[in-house]
Amino acid sequence: MSNKVNILDVEFDKQTKAETIDLLASRLKDHKKTFIVTANPEIVMYAQRDSDYMATLRAADYIIPDGAGIIMGAKLLKRPLPERVAGFDLLKDLLAVANCEYLNVFFLGAKEDVVRKAVTNVKQEYPNLHVCGYHHGYFDEKDEKVAEIVKKAEPDLVFVALGFPKQERWIKIHFPQFHKGVFMGVGGSFDVLAGEVKRAPLIWRKLNLEWLYRLIKQPSRWKRMAFLPLFMLKVFQTKKERVNG
């Protein structure tokens, strides 16, 4: 039985958050290089119209379903995924693993003051992990100097907060240079770690309504949310084609 679920040509991994953490903890222990993408409907739709970005997603070792829309789409295709795995929750769980195992962590992205605050807060919450370096996100993704800074730090975990598609492209471009490390794009997570942005309350997250909470708090996000109905329509069309085909 396949452990992948194909949604609009993006192969999502069919496992729970706990299974994902166990798998990644094992890969960290064995120093296996790993490229993780946490994908929502907006990312899938972007990949539909950008072949280079689709190729980037296909280069990933694991694509995690981050978004209620992905879970809905999988159900519609009758190929359900176990649960949504929020990127921020995965980030926090990996920090906990790093704390237990005394691992090296590099933070790449966001504004200088934001990443600095994020690092300060992480050090307080996870005193046993080692922040081996950090760098703001205002640079060209092909800049070899930044990649060299990260490489010299010898990180076990690299969190890249450049926003998609830049963060995934940065990882794909520079991934071959590294001999170890789990690399993951984390979007705006440093803002949350820094205390600049608050997450939705737990009840909203449990109801898969974090997107609605964020929309209420940031009405300017409505353009991004418009991808959800387009995504569901595309999934429905795919399902219809399979039935008719």
Side-chain angles (χ1 to χ4, degrees):
M1 192 173 178
S2 175
N3 64 341
K4 303 277 187 182
V5 174
N6 185 303
I7 303 177
L8 303 184
D9 297 325
V10 177
E11 298 275 355
F12 285 88
D13 285 272
K14 191 178 182 179
Q15 56 204 16
T16 64
K17 185 172 77 130
E19 288 168 342
T20 301
I21 290 299
D22 287 346
L23 176 65
L24 295 176
S26 175
R27 290 181 72 89
L28 280 164
K29 188 176 180 180
D30 294 338
H31 302 293
K32 288 184 179 176
K33 237 178 10 168
T34 309
F35 175 11
I36 307 167
V37 174
T38 61
N40 58 21
E42 187 180 4
I43 283 175
V44 173
M45 292 301 286
Y46 186 88
Q48 287 280 301
R49 64 181 191 273
D50 188 313
S51 59
D52 286 342
Y53 189 62
M54 181 66 85
T56 297
L57 295 186
R58 286 175 178 161
D61 295 290
Y62 301 100
I63 300 181
I64 310 299
D66 182 2
I70 299 297
I71 302 303
M72 290 163 59
K75 281 183 182 176
L76 184 61
L77 292 170
K78 298 195 183 301
R79 295 177 181 176
L81 288 158
E83 62 179 324
R84 176 199 174 208
V85 182
F88 187 77
D89 290 337
L90 188 56
L91 162 63
K92 294 280 282 184
D93 286 338
L94 286 172
L95 288 174
V97 171
N99 192 58
C100 288
E101 301 296 332
Y102 298 86
L103 300 179
N104 292 336
V105 185
F106 198 103
F107 295 82
L108 179 64
K111 295 177 182 176
E112 180 72 33
D113 60 326
V114 170
V115 68
R116 193 184 299 117
K117 281 184 195 174
V119 164
T120 298
N121 291 342
V122 164
K123 284 179 177 178
Q124 289 176 349
E125 190 173 352
Y126 306 95
N128 294 330
L129 65 74
H130 175 230
V131 176
C132 60
Y134 66 90
H135 194 285
H136 64 77
Y138 293 85
F139 61 89
D140 186 280
E141 63 198 65
K142 294 180 181 177
D143 188 342
E144 290 296 335
K145 286 182 284 185
V146 174
E148 196 59 33
I149 290 168
V150 182
K151 187 180 175 184
K152 282 182 179 177
E154 296 192 351
D156 298 296
L157 283 154
V158 182
F159 296 115
V160 187
L162 303 176
F164 93 89
K166 188 176 179 181
Q167 60 195 19
E168 287 80 27
R169 284 183 173 145
W170 187 90
I171 294 170
K172 182 175 182 265
I173 290 167
H174 302 289
F175 195 69
Q177 300 175 25
F178 294 82
H179 66 276
K180 68 168 186 175
V182 169
F183 295 73
M184 174 177 159
V186 296
S189 294
F190 291 0
D191 292 295
V192 182
L193 290 176
E196 300 287 314
V197 174
K198 286 187 178 181
R199 279 200 83 189
L202 185 59
I203 186 64
W204 289 72
R205 283 181 264 152
K206 283 188 172 179
L207 293 170
N208 278 331
L209 291 174
E210 188 167 12
W211 63 271
L212 180 58
Y213 180 87
R214 292 167 75 186
L215 181 59
I216 292 167
K217 291 291 182 180
Q218 296 175 277
S220 61
R221 292 177 62 88
W222 73 267
K223 287 183 181 178
R224 296 182 65 181
M225 298 304 175
F227 280 97
L228 184 55
L230 293 172
F231 167 79
M232 292 306 296
L233 178 61
K234 190 86 172 173
V235 171
F236 181 76
Q237 288 171 342
T238 299
K239 181 186 178 184
K240 195 174 177 182
E241 286 166 7
R242 284 179 183 172
V243 171
N244 293 337

